[in-house]
Amino acid sequence: MTVGFVMMCHTELDRAAQVARFWAEGGAPVVIHVDRRVDALANTKFQRSLADLANVSFSRRFKCEWGTWSLVAAAQAGAEQMLARHPEAGHVFLASGSCLPLRPVQDLAAYLAARPHTDFIESVTTADVGWTIGGLDEERFTLHFPFSWKRHRRLFDRYVALQRRFGLRRKVPDGLAPHMGSQWWCLSRRTLASILQDPERPAYDDYFAKVWIPDESYFQTLTRLYATNVESRSLTLSKFDYQGKPHLFYDDHLQLLRRSNCFVARKIWPRADRLYSAFLAQRSAIDATAEPDPVKIDRLFTKAVERRTTGRPGLYMQSRFPHRDRENGKTSAPYSVFQGFTDLFENFDGWLAKYAGARVHGHLFAPERAGFAGGESVFAGCLTDSATLRDYNPQAFLTNLIWNSRGERQCFQFSPRDNQACNWFLATDPNAQISVISGAWAVPLFRSPESFAVTRREAARLQKIELDQINILRSMYVKARVRIWTMADFIENPMELMQTIIDEISPRSTRRLAEVPRLVDLTGFGRFLQNLKNQGMQPRLMGEFPVGDDAQGPSPQRGRPYIVR
């Protein structure tokens, strides 16, 4: 006994001829169905290329269309011809013209000979199906489908909706429990003959002719009536993407396909010359007892699907640009945002770079330009310091900067003077570490030579901006690591608080701070705040400062940081 192959071909007939010849020369009979839509000249050429093989024949042709009964009718015709002409075929293997044998025919024949009464067909009930994507499960067996899903999509959808609305249903024939599975099966001669010769076949054919995608349910359902031993799996290795479309195998999948020990794989890219030449050169059995092991490929394709659908954290790409709040991580790596530190301390950037071991930028969202570290005009990934380009999409600017510099911690300064478009993005990014000294923006105003009237208006504007920002940072939706201190609270004990920040940036470091940056001269700052009050502007974010002219710091009252998450 051997195995017979029924091939369903509609394109790339030269490749199908190579595969049919491989199986036929290996001693297996082959029956080929050629789609009636293939023109007569191409069909004649195809048949002539295999005319020298006595065990290759062609079945009656049908015009096949996806999702319709024509595919089942073509498979029935090929199977009937195989059973009638080749009594030596103990199993019948349904394959497509895009299939490629991965092992010699002798391997498959020996494998099936050891399992003469086993039917290999994916066959599960509709309740257990989890792979239908954008389609129908139970309803494909109970609704009517007079319109082609491919050619008349709108009519198809409207008629389905109409039947649902009025509760129209078809009755499943008595004794049938609808099952679904892969179109590609390998059935024993006994089971296949029982299906094709059943006295109830006309009734079954009439019912399934009106089922949607019957090639995935006809044999899968009827096999359960006659088979004594069903292995619910296909011997054809085929993988599908998240949209339900078959993956293509290319030349660089050669070693992976070899390690799988599978008998047949689809779909093969028709220009994969290396795959066809490598696998069609095998003529003798190597290890007929090797069990097919598609797990290696399953793992790889599972990762590929995950990579395609969710992508790498923080990477935005055209092929899977995410919907709002459905991205796989807003950014790719942790980073730190410092607000108010450069206003309050001299040379804070240099000090932070020394102790944090990170790339420290200036104000990346400053109105005039992006302040890259070292004053560079172009940063990693050709990000330019142009404020116009940056502000076209500030979030993309930030995510690209973090992605292009992954592996190195990025730190940058922020201020109420900067572009505020990223406030919610920063607050809801788990990778962000945000440290805010509220009210520190007033220090440059305190030292400004501008008239007090101009200073008061600017102070009111900046305070309103920072209040709005702090409300965001205190929102219940915040996912960033946020610390907020008033200016007075922070300068009360800067060493301890800065040590906490450095420890969060470099948690494995045991280095203790030997110094903190030099505090700017705040002599008269309390009087400056009082003058703002006198002019009708109420400072709310700085904390308590004494009003005396010689005061250089806050009152002795010690404050604690406001910590979010």
Side-chain angles (χ1 to χ4, degrees), residues 334-540:
Y335 59 96
S336 299
V337 183
F338 293 89
Q339 181 164 319
F341 288 78
T342 54
D343 295 329
L344 193 58
F345 296 97
E346 297 177 358
N347 192 30
F348 176 75
D349 291 356
W351 176 89
L352 183 62
K354 173 183 176 181
Y355 281 97
R359 180 70 64 96
V360 181
H361 302 279
H363 288 261
L364 289 179
F365 295 95
E368 61 279 0
R369 63 182 290 270
F372 294 130
E376 298 290 338
S377 60
V378 177
F379 190 61
C382 291
L383 289 176
T384 174
D385 65 349
S386 167
T388 302
L389 293 178
R390 177 202 65 200
D391 293 345
Y392 178 76
N393 193 334
Q395 295 180 6
F397 171 83
L398 177 60
T399 55
N400 282 332
L401 183 141
I402 302 300
W403 172 263
N404 294 333
S405 59
R406 59 195 184 280
E408 179 185 45
R409 181 75 173 232
Q410 303 298 305
C411 303
F412 66 90
Q413 314 304 320
F414 198 66
S415 166
R417 303 179 185 88
D418 297 343
N419 187 324
Q420 302 292 305
C422 281
N423 281 346
W424 271 111
F425 184 87
L426 293 170
T428 55
D429 183 8
N431 279 327
Q433 176 200 16
I434 304 175
S435 302
V436 178
I437 302 177
S438 67
W441 47 264
V443 174
L445 295 180
F446 161 61
R447 306 170 70 181
S448 171
E450 295 284 351
S451 67
F452 200 81
V454 173
T455 299
R456 185 193 64 79
R457 287 195 299 270
E458 181 66 5
R461 184 183 73 87
L462 295 179
Q463 178 163 268
K464 182 179 185 304
I465 292 174
E466 189 165 67
L467 283 171
D468 291 341
Q469 179 200 16
I470 289 177
N471 286 336
I472 292 174
L473 295 179
R474 290 174 175 170
S475 164
M476 62 179 292
Y477 303 107
V478 169
K479 295 182 180 179
R481 181 73 170 113
V482 177
R483 291 180 180 271
I484 303 174
W485 300 271
T486 66
M487 180 177 162
D489 288 341
F490 195 90
I491 63 178
E492 183 74 16
N493 188 15
M495 178 76 78
E496 179 181 342
L497 300 181
M498 285 192 176
Q499 181 70 59
T500 300
I501 295 172
I502 295 299
D503 289 343
E504 287 186 354
I505 295 176
S506 304
R508 297 181 181 179
S509 175
T510 58
R511 186 176 184 180
R512 305 300 298 175
L513 296 182
E515 59 179 351
V516 294
R518 181 185 178 89
L519 187 70
V520 300
D521 185 7
L522 294 177
T523 303
F525 186 71
R527 171 54 59 186
F528 169 76
L529 297 181
Q530 183 60 47
N531 288 339
L532 289 177
K533 294 179 183 179
N534 296 341
Q535 294 294 324
M537 184 261 173
Q538 179 66 35
R540 299 171 54 189

Side-chain angles (χ1 to χ4, degrees), residues 27 66 89 112 120 129 157 182 185 251 259 295 297 302 334 360 377 444 482 518 525 558:
W66 182 89
L112 296 174
F120 296 90
V129 171
D157 291 340
S182 170
W185 41 256
D251 282 338
R259 291 197 300 270
V295 174
I297 288 184
T302 298
V360 181
S377 60
V482 177
R518 181 185 178 89
F525 186 71
R558 180 181 298 274

Side-chain angles (χ1 to χ4, degrees), residues 1 75-76 79-80 82-83 89-93 112 115-123 185-199 201 204 217-231:
M1 301 295 285
Q76 287 178 329
E80 288 174 334
M82 176 65 69
L83 296 180
H91 279 80
V92 177
F93 196 113
L112 296 174
R115 302 161 179 81
H117 304 299
T118 301
D119 297 285
F120 296 90
I121 180 170
E122 201 171 48
S123 174
W185 41 256
C186 180
L187 297 178
S188 65
R189 184 182 189 89
R190 175 183 173 279
T191 298
L192 188 56
S194 299
I195 293 174
L196 298 176
Q197 297 168 11
D198 191 313
R201 177 181 164 183
Y204 294 153
S217 58
Y218 178 81
F219 290 99
Q220 292 76 4
T221 298
L222 297 181
T223 294
R224 293 292 179 174
L225 297 179
Y226 311 106
T228 57
N229 185 18
V230 175
E231 286 219 13

Side-chain angles (χ1 to χ4, degrees), residues 114-157:
R115 302 161 179 81
H117 304 299
T118 301
D119 297 285
F120 296 90
I121 180 170
E122 201 171 48
S123 174
V124 296
T125 62
T126 55
D128 299 321
V129 171
W131 63 75
T132 52
I133 299 174
L136 307 171
D137 292 332
E138 296 179 3
E139 288 180 317
R140 67 175 65 192
F141 298 103
T142 60
L143 301 182
H144 298 77
F145 301 97
F147 304 107
S148 168
W149 185 83
K150 283 276 191 179
R151 292 181 288 110
H152 306 292
R153 182 77 59 87
R154 184 173 296 178
L155 286 174
F156 181 97
D157 291 340

